[in-house]
Amino acid sequence: MTLAQALFMGLLQGATELFPVSSLGHSVIIPSLLHWKFKQSDPTFVPFLVLLHLGTAGALLVLYRVQWIAITRGFFTAAVRGRITTGPERLAMLLLTGTIPAGILGVFFETRIKSLFASPYVAAGFLVVNGVLLLGFEQLRRRAERRAALESKPRAEQEQSFSEAERISFVAAALIGACQALAFFPGISRSGVTIGGGLLAGLRHQEAARFSFLLATPVILAAGLVEVPQLFASGVPVVEYLVAAALSGGAAYASARFLLRYFRSGRLDPYGWYCAAAGLLSLGLLALNL
Amino acid sequence: MKSNTLAIGFGILALVFIVVAALYGLGVLQILTSTTSGPHVKHAILFAVLAIASLIAANFTRERAV
């Protein structure tokens, strides 16, 4: 992998990890469309991905630093006391509940599923599925808005009628966490399915995105930290990869800021249409081998 | 739901998870792993987290003297 390719991949990973458009799908499809020949089985590729993910997790930690301090405090207070009394304590326990199914499914099945489906054709197909899922989540939300007689109200007012992350049930948190396993299929977006799950649980769009980002942080961080020893293997261009990771972190930070602002009144629809169109276009280009 | 029986159950579950985490960490257990030798750090961490979660659940469910 050349330096320019590493930087491009860093930027792509950071920008697409938090957008509901599947970073894994893009990182499988785009190099294939560009006829880049680097092998994902190369021993330096895993350390590269590790650093990119650590960059993304670092960006999320910086973005939510104040909340993470409150959540960490809340976790220990509630765990020792055996009772939840504040919002951060409840959020800490909801995140733990959501992380457990994701962790179980990730540890036991992630590698198998990713290796089975790591083809650009499959990724493009799943990108179309991801688009349909996002559009479906929004259809269900619109139905909920109609049931609550909110369709004629302004968007900001519609959103205010829904809940915030601290108020969802523990069962909903576990289900949203389990939804993350769908993202092992390249083309299905982790943030897309968790934001969609949050919408089904009755969260506002912005709160669903916040819960999704908070839920992603421990999993991405832990998965990255476990692989850190691989960075010290011989032949790993650490400096180049660190620059790519910094780019990935910067792009992830900007993406998260944008999305949190966008979801004040925005919906998942544009991302759904984008995924469906990009998936179909990629399938066409791959089939024509252009 | 407060019940000392449930709390004891969670406590036992935590002990089981700790043992499984240790076995994965030492490379003794090789069930559902991608390689068939050596320690499995991810599996060990997962079961350690499950043990902690079980201990928290035990603390949440135990009955308290008023």
Side-chain angles (χ1 to χ4, degrees), chain A residues 75 78-84 93 96 100 103-104 107-112 222-223 226-227, chain B residues 2 24 31-34 41-43 45-47 49-50 52-53 55-56 59-62 64:
Chain A
F75 174 79
V80 171
R81 196 197 298 128
R83 208 172 63 245
I84 293 168
M93 291 303 158
L96 177 67
I100 287 172
I104 293 172
V107 166
F108 289 120
F109 301 111
E110 184 174 10
T111 313
R112 288 153 213 263
V226 167
E227 305 286 355
Chain B
K2 300 281 179 190
Y24 270 122
I31 302 165
L32 287 171
T33 56
S34 51
V41 181
K42 280 186 190 173
H43 292 64
I45 292 172
L46 170 69
F47 280 96
V49 170
L50 288 174
I52 292 168
L55 287 174
I56 293 170
N59 195 28
F60 269 81
T61 49
R62 76 186 167 91
R64 287 175 176 74

mmCIF file of all heavy atoms in Angstrom, chain A residues 75 78-84 93 96 100 103-104 107-112 222-223 226-227, chain B residues 2 24 31-34 41-43 45-47 49-50 52-53 55-56 59-62 64:
data_model
loop_
_atom_site.group_PDB
_atom_site.id
_atom_site.type_symbol
_atom_site.label_atom_id
_atom_site.label_comp_id
_atom_site.label_asym_id
_atom_site.label_seq_id
_atom_site.Cartn_x
_atom_site.Cartn_y
_atom_site.Cartn_z
ATOM 1 N N PHE A 75 -21.222 4.640 36.185
ATOM 2 C CA PHE A 75 -21.100 3.174 36.145
ATOM 3 C C PHE A 75 -20.634 2.641 37.497
ATOM 4 O O PHE A 75 -21.261 1.742 38.075
ATOM 5 C CB PHE A 75 -20.112 2.773 35.043
ATOM 6 C CG PHE A 75 -19.803 1.302 35.017
ATOM 7 C CD1 PHE A 75 -20.693 0.413 34.443
ATOM 8 C CD2 PHE A 75 -18.638 0.806 35.586
ATOM 9 C CE1 PHE A 75 -20.428 -0.952 34.431
ATOM 10 C CE2 PHE A 75 -18.368 -0.547 35.592
ATOM 11 C CZ PHE A 75 -19.262 -1.428 35.011
ATOM 12 N N ALA A 78 -23.281 3.334 40.394
ATOM 13 C CA ALA A 78 -24.462 2.455 40.336
ATOM 14 C C ALA A 78 -24.071 1.001 40.609
ATOM 15 O O ALA A 78 -24.800 0.281 41.303
ATOM 16 C CB ALA A 78 -25.130 2.566 38.967
ATOM 17 N N ALA A 79 -22.895 0.571 40.094
ATOM 18 C CA ALA A 79 -22.474 -0.824 40.280
ATOM 19 C C ALA A 79 -22.250 -1.117 41.758
ATOM 20 O O ALA A 79 -22.651 -2.166 42.260
ATOM 21 C CB ALA A 79 -21.204 -1.087 39.476
ATOM 22 N N VAL A 80 -21.623 -0.184 42.465
ATOM 23 C CA VAL A 80 -21.326 -0.401 43.888
ATOM 24 C C VAL A 80 -22.596 -0.284 44.726
ATOM 25 O O VAL A 80 -22.858 -1.095 45.612
ATOM 26 C CB VAL A 80 -20.245 0.605 44.364
ATOM 27 C CG1 VAL A 80 -20.080 0.551 45.873
ATOM 28 C CG2 VAL A 80 -18.930 0.314 43.664
ATOM 29 N N ARG A 81 -23.420 0.726 44.393
ATOM 30 C CA ARG A 81 -24.632 0.976 45.183
ATOM 31 C C ARG A 81 -25.716 -0.062 44.900
ATOM 32 O O ARG A 81 -26.549 -0.356 45.758
ATOM 33 C CB ARG A 81 -25.158 2.384 44.874
ATOM 34 C CG ARG A 81 -26.171 2.886 45.904
ATOM 35 C CD ARG A 81 -26.984 4.062 45.383
ATOM 36 N NE ARG A 81 -26.200 5.229 45.056
ATOM 37 C CZ ARG A 81 -26.272 5.864 43.876
ATOM 38 N NH1 ARG A 81 -27.059 5.423 42.918
ATOM 39 N NH2 ARG A 81 -25.555 6.932 43.663
ATOM 40 N N GLY A 82 -25.709 -0.598 43.678
ATOM 41 C CA GLY A 82 -26.742 -1.569 43.310
ATOM 42 C C GLY A 82 -28.072 -0.912 43.018
ATOM 43 O O GLY A 82 -29.119 -1.561 43.060
ATOM 44 N N ARG A 83 -28.039 0.345 42.655
ATOM 45 C CA ARG A 83 -29.276 1.075 42.342
ATOM 46 C C ARG A 83 -28.955 2.224 41.393
ATOM 47 O O ARG A 83 -27.874 2.813 41.485
ATOM 48 C CB ARG A 83 -29.884 1.623 43.639
ATOM 49 C CG ARG A 83 -31.385 1.778 43.586
ATOM 50 C CD ARG A 83 -32.014 2.149 44.937
ATOM 51 N NE ARG A 83 -31.574 3.441 45.438
ATOM 52 C CZ ARG A 83 -30.856 3.590 46.543
ATOM 53 N NH1 ARG A 83 -30.483 2.556 47.252
ATOM 54 N NH2 ARG A 83 -30.508 4.787 46.946
ATOM 55 N N ILE A 84 -29.901 2.523 40.490
ATOM 56 C CA ILE A 84 -29.691 3.615 39.527
ATOM 57 C C ILE A 84 -30.500 4.813 39.989
ATOM 58 O O ILE A 84 -31.711 4.689 40.234
ATOM 59 C CB ILE A 84 -30.140 3.188 38.115
ATOM 60 C CG1 ILE A 84 -29.217 2.078 37.584
ATOM 61 C CG2 ILE A 84 -30.160 4.364 37.158
ATOM 62 C CD1 ILE A 84 -29.728 1.395 36.343
ATOM 63 N N MET A 93 -25.381 1.889 32.448
ATOM 64 C CA MET A 93 -25.882 0.507 32.494
ATOM 65 C C MET A 93 -26.534 0.108 31.165
ATOM 66 O O MET A 93 -26.451 -1.050 30.745
ATOM 67 C CB MET A 93 -26.875 0.338 33.657
ATOM 68 C CG MET A 93 -26.215 0.436 35.009
ATOM 69 S SD MET A 93 -24.881 -0.787 35.186
ATOM 70 C CE MET A 93 -23.897 -0.051 36.480
ATOM 71 N N LEU A 96 -23.665 -0.765 28.917
ATOM 72 C CA LEU A 96 -23.134 -2.088 29.260
ATOM 73 C C LEU A 96 -24.052 -3.176 28.693
ATOM 74 O O LEU A 96 -23.593 -4.145 28.085
ATOM 75 C CB LEU A 96 -23.016 -2.233 30.790
ATOM 76 C CG LEU A 96 -22.542 -3.604 31.288
ATOM 77 C CD1 LEU A 96 -21.100 -3.863 30.883
ATOM 78 C CD2 LEU A 96 -22.674 -3.716 32.803
ATOM 79 N N ILE A 100 -22.811 -5.951 25.628
ATOM 80 C CA ILE A 100 -22.632 -7.394 25.861
ATOM 81 C C ILE A 100 -23.044 -8.243 24.640
ATOM 82 O O ILE A 100 -22.233 -9.041 24.159
ATOM 83 C CB ILE A 100 -23.354 -7.841 27.149
ATOM 84 C CG1 ILE A 100 -22.552 -7.325 28.343
ATOM 85 C CG2 ILE A 100 -23.511 -9.346 27.225
ATOM 86 C CD1 ILE A 100 -23.218 -7.513 29.684
ATOM 87 N N GLY A 103 -20.546 -7.702 21.926
ATOM 88 C CA GLY A 103 -19.266 -8.335 22.254
ATOM 89 C C GLY A 103 -19.307 -9.832 22.011
ATOM 90 O O GLY A 103 -18.396 -10.401 21.408
ATOM 91 N N ILE A 104 -20.388 -10.489 22.472
ATOM 92 C CA ILE A 104 -20.503 -11.944 22.311
ATOM 93 C C ILE A 104 -20.503 -12.305 20.817
ATOM 94 O O ILE A 104 -19.724 -13.143 20.355
ATOM 95 C CB ILE A 104 -21.793 -12.476 22.984
ATOM 96 C CG1 ILE A 104 -21.689 -12.312 24.504
ATOM 97 C CG2 ILE A 104 -22.043 -13.938 22.620
ATOM 98 C CD1 ILE A 104 -22.969 -12.619 25.256
ATOM 99 N N VAL A 107 -16.997 -11.465 19.136
ATOM 100 C CA VAL A 107 -15.891 -12.371 19.457
ATOM 101 C C VAL A 107 -16.072 -13.719 18.766
ATOM 102 O O VAL A 107 -15.122 -14.296 18.236
ATOM 103 C CB VAL A 107 -15.773 -12.542 20.988
ATOM 104 C CG1 VAL A 107 -14.885 -13.723 21.346
ATOM 105 C CG2 VAL A 107 -15.206 -11.265 21.609
ATOM 106 N N PHE A 108 -17.292 -14.228 18.743
ATOM 107 C CA PHE A 108 -17.487 -15.581 18.222
ATOM 108 C C PHE A 108 -17.720 -15.649 16.708
ATOM 109 O O PHE A 108 -17.425 -16.653 16.084
ATOM 110 C CB PHE A 108 -18.644 -16.276 18.951
ATOM 111 C CG PHE A 108 -18.297 -16.622 20.370
ATOM 112 C CD1 PHE A 108 -19.012 -16.107 21.426
ATOM 113 C CD2 PHE A 108 -17.224 -17.462 20.643
ATOM 114 C CE1 PHE A 108 -18.667 -16.419 22.733
ATOM 115 C CE2 PHE A 108 -16.877 -17.777 21.942
ATOM 116 C CZ PHE A 108 -17.604 -17.251 22.992
ATOM 117 N N PHE A 109 -18.274 -14.588 16.133
ATOM 118 C CA PHE A 109 -18.695 -14.728 14.725
ATOM 119 C C PHE A 109 -18.088 -13.726 13.746
ATOM 120 O O PHE A 109 -18.159 -13.933 12.547
ATOM 121 C CB PHE A 109 -20.229 -14.643 14.625
ATOM 122 C CG PHE A 109 -20.926 -15.704 15.428
ATOM 123 C CD1 PHE A 109 -21.648 -15.387 16.561
ATOM 124 C CD2 PHE A 109 -20.829 -17.037 15.051
ATOM 125 C CE1 PHE A 109 -22.269 -16.378 17.321
ATOM 126 C CE2 PHE A 109 -21.443 -18.031 15.795
ATOM 127 C CZ PHE A 109 -22.163 -17.702 16.934
ATOM 128 N N GLU A 110 -17.518 -12.599 14.252
ATOM 129 C CA GLU A 110 -17.110 -11.526 13.340
ATOM 130 C C GLU A 110 -16.128 -12.000 12.261
ATOM 131 O O GLU A 110 -16.330 -11.778 11.077
ATOM 132 C CB GLU A 110 -16.500 -10.361 14.129
ATOM 133 C CG GLU A 110 -16.156 -9.182 13.243
ATOM 134 C CD GLU A 110 -15.696 -7.971 14.025
ATOM 135 O OE1 GLU A 110 -15.465 -8.095 15.242
ATOM 136 O OE2 GLU A 110 -15.583 -6.903 13.414
ATOM 137 N N THR A 111 -15.055 -12.676 12.700
ATOM 138 C CA THR A 111 -14.015 -13.078 11.745
ATOM 139 C C THR A 111 -14.575 -14.030 10.684
ATOM 140 O O THR A 111 -14.303 -13.884 9.493
ATOM 141 C CB THR A 111 -12.859 -13.774 12.484
ATOM 142 O OG1 THR A 111 -12.530 -12.976 13.617
ATOM 143 C CG2 THR A 111 -11.642 -13.920 11.600
ATOM 144 N N ARG A 112 -15.398 -15.006 11.149
ATOM 145 C CA ARG A 112 -15.963 -15.979 10.206
ATOM 146 C C ARG A 112 -16.839 -15.295 9.161
ATOM 147 O O ARG A 112 -16.718 -15.529 7.969
ATOM 148 C CB ARG A 112 -16.831 -17.000 10.952
ATOM 149 C CG ARG A 112 -16.049 -17.977 11.781
ATOM 150 C CD ARG A 112 -16.927 -18.440 12.937
ATOM 151 N NE ARG A 112 -16.146 -18.705 14.129
ATOM 152 C CZ ARG A 112 -15.736 -19.900 14.491
ATOM 153 N NH1 ARG A 112 -16.044 -20.937 13.787
ATOM 154 N NH2 ARG A 112 -15.011 -20.062 15.574
ATOM 155 N N ALA A 222 -11.970 -1.366 22.279
ATOM 156 C CA ALA A 222 -11.476 -2.649 22.797
ATOM 157 C C ALA A 222 -10.918 -3.504 21.664
ATOM 158 O O ALA A 222 -9.833 -4.084 21.801
ATOM 159 C CB ALA A 222 -12.601 -3.391 23.507
ATOM 160 N N ALA A 223 -11.653 -3.547 20.528
ATOM 161 C CA ALA A 223 -11.189 -4.352 19.393
ATOM 162 C C ALA A 223 -9.838 -3.842 18.891
ATOM 163 O O ALA A 223 -8.975 -4.628 18.506
ATOM 164 C CB ALA A 223 -12.214 -4.321 18.264
ATOM 165 N N VAL A 226 -6.856 -4.524 21.654
ATOM 166 C CA VAL A 226 -6.437 -5.929 21.721
ATOM 167 C C VAL A 226 -5.404 -6.243 20.635
ATOM 168 O O VAL A 226 -4.504 -7.059 20.826
ATOM 169 C CB VAL A 226 -7.685 -6.844 21.580
ATOM 170 C CG1 VAL A 226 -7.295 -8.278 21.337
ATOM 171 C CG2 VAL A 226 -8.531 -6.756 22.831
ATOM 172 N N GLU A 227 -5.527 -5.559 19.505
ATOM 173 C CA GLU A 227 -4.643 -5.852 18.369
ATOM 174 C C GLU A 227 -3.374 -4.988 18.366
ATOM 175 O O GLU A 227 -2.546 -5.129 17.462
ATOM 176 C CB GLU A 227 -5.391 -5.638 17.037
ATOM 177 C CG GLU A 227 -6.698 -6.412 16.901
ATOM 178 C CD GLU A 227 -6.498 -7.906 16.665
ATOM 179 O OE1 GLU A 227 -5.336 -8.310 16.504
ATOM 180 O OE2 GLU A 227 -7.497 -8.645 16.665
ATOM 181 N N LYS B 2 -36.051 -8.032 43.298
ATOM 182 C CA LYS B 2 -35.077 -8.290 44.366
ATOM 183 C C LYS B 2 -35.244 -9.714 44.886
ATOM 184 O O LYS B 2 -36.340 -10.110 45.295
ATOM 185 C CB LYS B 2 -35.288 -7.299 45.522
ATOM 186 C CG LYS B 2 -35.122 -5.840 45.134
ATOM 187 C CD LYS B 2 -33.665 -5.462 45.060
ATOM 188 C CE LYS B 2 -33.505 -4.009 44.657
ATOM 189 N NZ LYS B 2 -32.120 -3.674 44.343
ATOM 190 N N TYR B 24 -9.502 -19.316 28.690
ATOM 191 C CA TYR B 24 -9.219 -18.731 27.365
ATOM 192 C C TYR B 24 -7.897 -17.957 27.408
ATOM 193 O O TYR B 24 -7.087 -18.029 26.484
ATOM 194 C CB TYR B 24 -10.348 -17.792 26.933
ATOM 195 C CG TYR B 24 -11.457 -18.472 26.153
ATOM 196 C CD1 TYR B 24 -12.775 -18.419 26.601
ATOM 197 C CD2 TYR B 24 -11.204 -19.145 24.957
ATOM 198 C CE1 TYR B 24 -13.805 -19.025 25.885
ATOM 199 C CE2 TYR B 24 -12.226 -19.757 24.240
ATOM 200 C CZ TYR B 24 -13.525 -19.694 24.706
ATOM 201 O OH TYR B 24 -14.536 -20.293 23.998
ATOM 202 N N ILE B 31 -12.532 -23.553 22.307
ATOM 203 C CA ILE B 31 -13.861 -23.680 21.689
ATOM 204 C C ILE B 31 -14.251 -22.367 21.007
ATOM 205 O O ILE B 31 -14.083 -21.278 21.596
ATOM 206 C CB ILE B 31 -14.921 -24.043 22.762
ATOM 207 C CG1 ILE B 31 -14.526 -25.348 23.455
ATOM 208 C CG2 ILE B 31 -16.309 -24.175 22.148
ATOM 209 C CD1 ILE B 31 -15.273 -25.599 24.737
ATOM 210 N N LEU B 32 -14.788 -22.458 19.790
ATOM 211 C CA LEU B 32 -15.266 -21.300 19.025
ATOM 212 C C LEU B 32 -14.187 -20.223 18.874
ATOM 213 O O LEU B 32 -14.413 -19.035 19.104
ATOM 214 C CB LEU B 32 -16.511 -20.695 19.678
ATOM 215 C CG LEU B 32 -17.801 -21.506 19.536
ATOM 216 C CD1 LEU B 32 -18.883 -20.915 20.413
ATOM 217 C CD2 LEU B 32 -18.274 -21.524 18.092
ATOM 218 N N THR B 33 -12.990 -20.652 18.514
ATOM 219 C CA THR B 33 -11.898 -19.701 18.277
ATOM 220 C C THR B 33 -11.422 -19.844 16.830
ATOM 221 O O THR B 33 -11.616 -20.896 16.218
ATOM 222 C CB THR B 33 -10.709 -19.979 19.226
ATOM 223 O OG1 THR B 33 -10.312 -21.338 19.052
ATOM 224 C CG2 THR B 33 -11.083 -19.743 20.675
ATOM 225 N N SER B 34 -10.776 -18.780 16.303
ATOM 226 C CA SER B 34 -10.348 -18.827 14.906
ATOM 227 C C SER B 34 -9.045 -19.611 14.744
ATOM 228 O O SER B 34 -8.760 -20.137 13.679
ATOM 229 C CB SER B 34 -10.192 -17.412 14.350
ATOM 230 O OG SER B 34 -9.399 -16.655 15.209
ATOM 231 N N VAL B 41 -7.090 -13.661 23.705
ATOM 232 C CA VAL B 41 -7.262 -12.475 24.545
ATOM 233 C C VAL B 41 -8.686 -11.920 24.443
ATOM 234 O O VAL B 41 -9.310 -11.569 25.455
ATOM 235 C CB VAL B 41 -6.226 -11.389 24.150
ATOM 236 C CG1 VAL B 41 -6.375 -10.154 25.023
ATOM 237 C CG2 VAL B 41 -4.826 -11.943 24.279
ATOM 238 N N LYS B 42 -9.221 -11.857 23.190
ATOM 239 C CA LYS B 42 -10.568 -11.286 23.005
ATOM 240 C C LYS B 42 -11.608 -12.095 23.780
ATOM 241 O O LYS B 42 -12.484 -11.535 24.437
ATOM 242 C CB LYS B 42 -10.947 -11.284 21.522
ATOM 243 C CG LYS B 42 -10.355 -10.141 20.740
ATOM 244 C CD LYS B 42 -10.913 -10.164 19.322
ATOM 245 C CE LYS B 42 -10.170 -9.185 18.440
ATOM 246 N NZ LYS B 42 -10.561 -9.285 17.045
ATOM 247 N N HIS B 43 -11.499 -13.420 23.686
ATOM 248 C CA HIS B 43 -12.445 -14.283 24.399
ATOM 249 C C HIS B 43 -12.311 -14.082 25.909
ATOM 250 O O HIS B 43 -13.310 -14.036 26.629
ATOM 251 C CB HIS B 43 -12.192 -15.753 24.042
ATOM 252 C CG HIS B 43 -12.531 -16.104 22.624
ATOM 253 N ND1 HIS B 43 -11.876 -15.575 21.539
ATOM 254 C CD2 HIS B 43 -13.484 -16.921 22.120
ATOM 255 C CE1 HIS B 43 -12.401 -16.065 20.425
ATOM 256 N NE2 HIS B 43 -13.382 -16.878 20.747
ATOM 257 N N ILE B 45 -11.226 -11.423 27.497
ATOM 258 C CA ILE B 45 -11.781 -10.111 27.884
ATOM 259 C C ILE B 45 -13.305 -10.177 27.916
ATOM 260 O O ILE B 45 -13.949 -9.674 28.839
ATOM 261 C CB ILE B 45 -11.280 -9.001 26.935
ATOM 262 C CG1 ILE B 45 -9.774 -8.782 27.126
ATOM 263 C CG2 ILE B 45 -12.033 -7.696 27.162
ATOM 264 C CD1 ILE B 45 -9.153 -7.844 26.116
ATOM 265 N N LEU B 46 -13.891 -10.813 26.886
ATOM 266 C CA LEU B 46 -15.350 -10.925 26.831
ATOM 267 C C LEU B 46 -15.888 -11.601 28.090
ATOM 268 O O LEU B 46 -16.830 -11.090 28.725
ATOM 269 C CB LEU B 46 -15.770 -11.716 25.586
ATOM 270 C CG LEU B 46 -17.251 -12.107 25.545
ATOM 271 C CD1 LEU B 46 -18.120 -10.869 25.349
ATOM 272 C CD2 LEU B 46 -17.524 -13.108 24.430
ATOM 273 N N PHE B 47 -15.287 -12.726 28.485
ATOM 274 C CA PHE B 47 -15.809 -13.435 29.652
ATOM 275 C C PHE B 47 -15.514 -12.679 30.949
ATOM 276 O O PHE B 47 -16.287 -12.769 31.908
ATOM 277 C CB PHE B 47 -15.283 -14.876 29.684
ATOM 278 C CG PHE B 47 -16.057 -15.764 28.744
ATOM 279 C CD1 PHE B 47 -15.594 -16.029 27.464
ATOM 280 C CD2 PHE B 47 -17.292 -16.275 29.113
ATOM 281 C CE1 PHE B 47 -16.326 -16.808 26.583
ATOM 282 C CE2 PHE B 47 -18.038 -17.050 28.231
ATOM 283 C CZ PHE B 47 -17.560 -17.321 26.969
ATOM 284 N N VAL B 49 -15.638 -9.402 31.116
ATOM 285 C CA VAL B 49 -16.711 -8.386 31.120
ATOM 286 C C VAL B 49 -18.033 -9.028 31.556
ATOM 287 O O VAL B 49 -18.791 -8.452 32.351
ATOM 288 C CB VAL B 49 -16.845 -7.725 29.723
ATOM 289 C CG1 VAL B 49 -18.089 -6.853 29.641
ATOM 290 C CG2 VAL B 49 -15.608 -6.906 29.402
ATOM 291 N N LEU B 50 -18.291 -10.247 31.068
ATOM 292 C CA LEU B 50 -19.522 -10.943 31.459
ATOM 293 C C LEU B 50 -19.514 -11.227 32.965
ATOM 294 O O LEU B 50 -20.567 -11.137 33.623
ATOM 295 C CB LEU B 50 -19.661 -12.254 30.676
ATOM 296 C CG LEU B 50 -20.023 -12.117 29.193
ATOM 297 C CD1 LEU B 50 -19.994 -13.466 28.501
ATOM 298 C CD2 LEU B 50 -21.398 -11.478 29.016
ATOM 299 N N ILE B 52 -18.007 -9.400 35.262
ATOM 300 C CA ILE B 52 -18.272 -8.114 35.936
ATOM 301 C C ILE B 52 -19.763 -7.781 35.859
ATOM 302 O O ILE B 52 -20.385 -7.375 36.848
ATOM 303 C CB ILE B 52 -17.410 -6.993 35.300
ATOM 304 C CG1 ILE B 52 -15.938 -7.235 35.616
ATOM 305 C CG2 ILE B 52 -17.836 -5.616 35.811
ATOM 306 C CD1 ILE B 52 -14.979 -6.376 34.811
ATOM 307 N N ALA B 53 -20.343 -7.982 34.652
ATOM 308 C CA ALA B 53 -21.775 -7.698 34.477
ATOM 309 C C ALA B 53 -22.616 -8.579 35.403
ATOM 310 O O ALA B 53 -23.608 -8.116 35.982
ATOM 311 C CB ALA B 53 -22.184 -7.920 33.025
ATOM 312 N N LEU B 55 -21.662 -9.821 38.320
ATOM 313 C CA LEU B 55 -21.494 -9.316 39.696
ATOM 314 C C LEU B 55 -22.365 -8.082 39.924
ATOM 315 O O LEU B 55 -22.985 -7.922 40.988
ATOM 316 C CB LEU B 55 -20.017 -8.981 39.958
ATOM 317 C CG LEU B 55 -19.085 -10.187 40.123
ATOM 318 C CD1 LEU B 55 -17.635 -9.735 40.232
ATOM 319 C CD2 LEU B 55 -19.470 -11.005 41.365
ATOM 320 N N ILE B 56 -22.416 -7.200 38.898
ATOM 321 C CA ILE B 56 -23.268 -6.003 39.016
ATOM 322 C C ILE B 56 -24.735 -6.429 39.131
ATOM 323 O O ILE B 56 -25.475 -5.923 39.981
ATOM 324 C CB ILE B 56 -23.056 -5.067 37.804
ATOM 325 C CG1 ILE B 56 -21.645 -4.481 37.844
ATOM 326 C CG2 ILE B 56 -24.091 -3.944 37.792
ATOM 327 C CD1 ILE B 56 -21.258 -3.730 36.581
ATOM 328 N N ASN B 59 -25.455 -7.619 42.535
ATOM 329 C CA ASN B 59 -25.593 -6.498 43.485
ATOM 330 C C ASN B 59 -26.938 -5.789 43.323
ATOM 331 O O ASN B 59 -27.534 -5.328 44.301
ATOM 332 C CB ASN B 59 -24.434 -5.526 43.286
ATOM 333 C CG ASN B 59 -24.290 -4.556 44.442
ATOM 334 O OD1 ASN B 59 -24.657 -4.878 45.569
ATOM 335 N ND2 ASN B 59 -23.754 -3.382 44.159
ATOM 336 N N PHE B 60 -27.423 -5.709 42.067
ATOM 337 C CA PHE B 60 -28.705 -5.049 41.818
ATOM 338 C C PHE B 60 -29.884 -5.869 42.345
ATOM 339 O O PHE B 60 -30.886 -5.320 42.752
ATOM 340 C CB PHE B 60 -28.892 -4.815 40.306
ATOM 341 C CG PHE B 60 -28.377 -3.477 39.849
ATOM 342 C CD1 PHE B 60 -27.032 -3.277 39.598
ATOM 343 C CD2 PHE B 60 -29.236 -2.406 39.678
ATOM 344 C CE1 PHE B 60 -26.553 -2.048 39.181
ATOM 345 C CE2 PHE B 60 -28.769 -1.175 39.260
ATOM 346 C CZ PHE B 60 -27.418 -0.997 39.011
ATOM 347 N N THR B 61 -29.738 -7.197 42.305
ATOM 348 C CA THR B 61 -30.895 -8.049 42.631
ATOM 349 C C THR B 61 -30.933 -8.477 44.103
ATOM 350 O O THR B 61 -31.958 -8.987 44.545
ATOM 351 C CB THR B 61 -30.900 -9.326 41.754
ATOM 352 O OG1 THR B 61 -29.606 -9.904 41.792
ATOM 353 C CG2 THR B 61 -31.275 -9.018 40.324
ATOM 354 N N ARG B 62 -29.840 -8.299 44.847
ATOM 355 C CA ARG B 62 -29.874 -8.792 46.229
ATOM 356 C C ARG B 62 -30.808 -7.941 47.088
ATOM 357 O O ARG B 62 -30.946 -6.729 46.864
ATOM 358 C CB ARG B 62 -28.461 -8.845 46.821
ATOM 359 C CG ARG B 62 -27.892 -7.519 47.205
ATOM 360 C CD ARG B 62 -26.445 -7.661 47.633
ATOM 361 N NE ARG B 62 -25.828 -6.349 47.707
ATOM 362 C CZ ARG B 62 -25.813 -5.621 48.819
ATOM 363 N NH1 ARG B 62 -26.368 -6.066 49.917
ATOM 364 N NH2 ARG B 62 -25.247 -4.430 48.805
ATOM 365 N N ARG B 64 -32.035 -5.956 50.326
ATOM 366 C CA ARG B 64 -31.301 -5.130 51.286
ATOM 367 C C ARG B 64 -32.107 -4.946 52.565
ATOM 368 O O ARG B 64 -33.338 -4.830 52.500
ATOM 369 C CB ARG B 64 -31.004 -3.751 50.682
ATOM 370 C CG ARG B 64 -29.945 -3.792 49.636
ATOM 371 C CD ARG B 64 -29.768 -2.428 48.992
ATOM 372 N NE ARG B 64 -28.668 -2.478 48.039
ATOM 373 C CZ ARG B 64 -28.720 -3.058 46.852
ATOM 374 N NH1 ARG B 64 -29.829 -3.640 46.445
ATOM 375 N NH2 ARG B 64 -27.668 -3.070 46.060
#
